[in-house]
Amino acid sequence: MVRPFRKPLVLMAPKALLRSPDAVSTIAEFGPGTTFQRVIGDSTVDNNEVKRVLICSGKHYYTLRNKRDELKDTTTAIIRIEELCPFPSSELQKELNKYADAEKFWAQEESRNSGAWSFVNPRVKNILGHELKYAGRKECAAAAVGISKRHAQEVKDILNQAFSHIL
């Protein structure tokens, strides 16, 4: 929709992604004939070899991808949801159809009661008909643990949950 006025672009993103060389786009990706991708599939894996699909949103993708690369895992696909609302059901279904027999997980860095899990899970289950398993922190009243060693251990535990099929 073209409006007769300009709206500012407001990005809610961690600073780490602004500095990351992994989180960049080419000039061509902003050119004519391009559109915003609400769901980004995984083109780095062979669809027939995938045993587990990790669905995530935000910067957690880069953590998951780095762990997958470190493990040299070729059996895990990572799907990114770039826009949660309105829920991109048709785009996500298209990606999930590529991995019909794979185990499907929602992976998030936040605790179970504060991340996107409670929004995404019922939509994937009721609209798309897929059961998701959960890989993330357990419920917690606080947004963060506040102790760096404990935080690092929780991140390690999340990655172990996400890649438990090959660890």
Side-chain angles (χ1 to χ4, degrees):
M1 174 187 304
V2 178
R3 294 186 174 100
F5 57 90
R6 294 177 61 172
K7 289 178 76 173
L9 173 64
V10 178
L11 297 175
M12 303 292 275
K15 288 189 280 186
L17 289 184
L18 294 174
R19 297 183 186 114
S20 174
D22 294 331
V24 297
S25 297
T26 64
I27 298 278
E29 291 173 305
F30 293 99
T34 62
T35 60
F36 177 73
Q37 296 179 30
R38 297 170 60 198
V39 174
I40 301 175
D42 195 336
S43 60
T44 65
V45 293
D46 179 0
N47 298 355
N48 298 320
E49 290 183 23
V50 171
K51 294 181 179 21
R52 181 170 290 191
V53 176
L54 301 175
I55 307 166
C56 66
S57 182
K59 77 171 194 157
H60 192 51
Y61 164 77
Y62 297 99
T63 308
L64 293 170
R65 192 191 66 192
N66 291 341
K67 182 67 173 179
R68 182 181 66 182
D69 293 348
E70 175 189 316
L71 296 170
K72 296 179 177 39
D73 178 17
T74 59
T75 63
T76 303
I78 305 172
I79 298 173
R80 291 185 277 174
I81 299 179
E82 294 291 310
E83 181 180 61
L84 291 168
C85 191
F87 191 71
S89 53
S90 60
E91 294 94 332
L92 184 57
Q93 183 67 60
K94 181 181 170 191
E95 289 301 321
L96 291 175
N97 285 344
K98 296 176 183 177
Y99 316 106
D101 298 328
E103 218 177 1
K104 294 161 183 79
F105 276 75
W106 174 260
Q108 69 181 28
E109 191 176 22
E110 300 85 6
S111 58
R112 189 176 187 127
N113 59 323
S114 65
W117 164 254
S118 60
F119 180 81
V120 171
N121 185 46
R123 284 160 180 78
V124 170
K125 184 176 182 179
N126 298 328
I127 298 172
L128 305 180
H130 293 279
E131 286 289 330
L132 288 181
K133 295 179 181 174
Y134 176 77
R137 288 186 169 87
K138 59 186 178 187
E139 291 87 356
C140 184
V145 292
I147 302 168
S148 62
K149 286 183 182 178
R150 188 162 172 205
H151 173 78
Q153 182 59 47
E154 285 184 352
V155 170
K156 185 177 177 183
D157 292 344
I158 292 167
L159 294 174
N160 287 343
Q161 290 172 35
F163 294 97
S164 63
H165 65 297
I166 59 164
L167 292 175

